[in-house]
Structure formats: structure tokens, C-alpha cells
């Protein structure tokens, strides 16, 4: 009886497997030996597709960038609404894959999906009338905010043990032990509050500079 054929090794399969490892165990779990074992292949065979492990992690990061919805910049939404909806989609992608955020934080480099995000956001802001230099800053600012929110949970950082918050030492943390069980609600509310405040500030700046004709450059 013939042996069942192993799935062919491909770039996509390597990236999917590496992403699953990063999601489950973090960046340190991804080594040539571990990844090859997960794929059922020899280590050297990986290098027919990627020259280095860093290239694999870059590809994993780019696969996450590719999950971010960009349609809001292309369907007629005003710039503020588009930024809001993009930030929500961007955060959702990073929240699903938080362990890859340190790689994404390096910037897009040569990653196609990451560059596509940068190109679309910058282009949409310039098209909306932002001066080119400020359009660059708008994209950077949203990126800082979203990545910061994806690094960890504020509410999840408090233990659910009331005795940890002795009022003699922490007179204002009497309810802090309740935060952990309300983690998602607290974090979502904080994200939306911060995003609205950020967009309010940008709108004030936009009113001062006034809509400008599209420009080239940064």
C-alpha cells in the first residue's frame, strides 16, 4: 500500500505554520529545527524558500498586515471615519496576533502588505487635503496608538485579589481587583475613548491647515 503523500512544502505553508507557532508560544519558539519538525521536513529544505529565519518572521508579520482592512480609504468615507475604521481593523488584527507586534514595530521595511498599508493611508490623507508632511505624521500617530494598545491589556494587568490593594497603601484602588474580570469591556472603552480624543485633535488641526490640493512627497 502506497504511503500517503506529505503536503508539498510551500512559502504559504511555512508562513502559516510559523505564524501559528508565534501565536501560541511567542517569537522565541520559532527556530529552524522547531519549524521543520512542525512541517515534517528537514531544516535545510526551509531555505529553498527563505534565506534566514528573520525573513520568515518578516513574512509572518506581513501576513498579519495583509489582514488589515483598507477598503474604508477607497469607498468614499471621509478621512476621519476612514481613520477610525482602519484603526479598529488594525487593532483587531494585532489583537489576534500580539506576539508578532515587535516585528511589525520595526516598520514595513520591504514587506509588500506593510508598504501597501502605508501607501494607502498616506495617499488617502493627501487626497483629503492634508499637507504631505502632516499626512505622514497622521499615519505614524495612528500606528503608535494602535500598536501600543495591542502590546498588552491595561485591565488584565491587575490581579483579582482584593487583598493586593490595601487601602492604607493604595487608597484609590479599592475596585482594582474587579478590573480583570471586566478586561475586554475596560480595554475596549479605553481604546475608543483614546481614538475619539486623537481624532478630535486631528480634526482641529485639519481645520487650521484647511483642505489642500494633493501633494507629492513627505
Amino acid at each position: 500500500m502506497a504511503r500517503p503523500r506529505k503536503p508539498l512544502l510551500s512559502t504559504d505553508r511555512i508562513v502559516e505554520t510559523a505564524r501559528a507557532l508565534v501565536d501560541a508560544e511567542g517569537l522565541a519558539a520559532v527556530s529552524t529545527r522547531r519549524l521543520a519538525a512542525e512541517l515534517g521536513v528537514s531544516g535545510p529544505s526551509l531555505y529553498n524558500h527563505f534565506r534566514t529565519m528573520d525573513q520568515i518572521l518578516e513574512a509572518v508579520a506581513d501576513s498579519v498586515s495583509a489582514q488589515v482592512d483598507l477598503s474604508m480609504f477607497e469607498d468614499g468615507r471621509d478621512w476621519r471615519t476612514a481613520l477610525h475604521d482602519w484603526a479598529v481593523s488594525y487593532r483587531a488584527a494585532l489583537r489576534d496576533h500580539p506576539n508578532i507586534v515587535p516585528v511589525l514595530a520595526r516598520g514595513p521595511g520591504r514587506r509588500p502588505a506593510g508598504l501597501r498599508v502605508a501607501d494607502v493611508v498616506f495617499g488617502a490623507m493627501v487626497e483629503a487635503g492634508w499637507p504631505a508632511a502632516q499626512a505622514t505624521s497622521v499615519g505614524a500617530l495612528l500606528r503608535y496608538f494602535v500598536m501600543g494598545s495591542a502590546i498588552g491589556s491595561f485591565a488584565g494587568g491587575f490581579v483579582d485579589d482584593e487583598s493586593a490593594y490595601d487601602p492604607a497603601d493604595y487608597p484609590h484602588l479599592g475596585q482594582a481587583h474587579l478590573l480583570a474580570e471586566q478586561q475586554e469591556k475596560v480595554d475596549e472603552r479605553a481604546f475608543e475613548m483614546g481614538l475619539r480624543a486623537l481624532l478630535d485633535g486631528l480634526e482641529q488641526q485639519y481645520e487650521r491647515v484647511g483642505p489642500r490640493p494633493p501633494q507629492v512627497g513627505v
Side-chain angles (χ1 to χ4, degrees):
M1 185 174 180
R3 294 181 180 178
R5 295 179 61 186
K6 291 182 179 179
L8 292 175
L9 190 61
S10 67
T11 297
D12 287 346
R13 188 166 167 244
I14 293 170
V15 171
E16 289 170 5
T17 303
R19 186 174 60 227
L21 268 177
V22 172
D23 287 345
E25 302 180 35
L27 292 169
V30 186
S31 65
T32 300
R33 178 177 295 181
R34 178 69 186 279
L35 189 53
E38 293 287 333
L39 290 161
V41 300
S42 63
S45 65
L46 297 176
Y47 299 107
N48 293 325
H49 300 270
F50 294 95
R51 291 195 302 272
T52 65
M53 184 55 61
D54 192 57
Q55 281 191 349
I56 294 175
L57 293 176
E58 288 285 320
V60 170
D62 212 38
S63 74
V64 174
S65 292
Q67 297 175 16
V68 180
D69 184 16
L70 296 173
S71 64
M72 64 285 296
F73 294 110
E74 300 165 338
D75 63 8
R77 274 173 260 190
D78 64 89
W79 68 264
R80 177 180 172 135
T81 302
L83 283 179
H84 175 278
D85 296 348
W86 172 59
V88 171
S89 176
Y90 192 5
R91 180 172 178 253
L94 299 191
R95 189 174 51 194
D96 289 343
H97 308 282
N99 292 334
I100 200 64
V101 170
V103 179
L104 285 164
R106 300 172 190 167
R110 297 177 182 272
R111 300 193 298 266
L115 289 170
R116 163 79 174 153
V117 171
D119 179 71
V120 169
V121 175
F122 174 77
M125 293 304 101
V126 171
E127 188 67 28
W130 281 95
Q134 291 190 37
T136 299
S137 297
V138 169
L141 177 60
L142 266 291
R143 179 173 171 270
Y144 298 150
F145 177 71
V146 173
M147 284 197 174
S149 74
I151 289 174
S153 164
F154 171 80
F158 292 85
V159 298
D160 61 359
D161 179 3
E162 188 173 3
S163 67
Y165 308 104
D166 189 328
D169 296 320
Y170 314 108
H172 305 296
L173 297 182
Q175 301 296 307
H177 64 286
L178 302 176
L179 287 172
E181 67 181 30
Q182 299 290 327
Q183 177 177 331
E184 184 173 355
K185 179 179 179 180
V186 172
D187 290 345
E188 287 293 329
R189 186 173 60 214
F191 177 78
E192 281 293 336
M193 180 185 295
L195 184 56
R196 283 197 306 273
L198 188 155
L199 292 172
D200 285 346
L202 287 177
E203 194 158 38
Q204 291 178 13
Q205 290 191 41
Y206 183 76
E207 290 171 357
R208 286 199 296 271
V209 301
R212 305 290 179 87
Q215 303 173 49
V216 178
V218 296

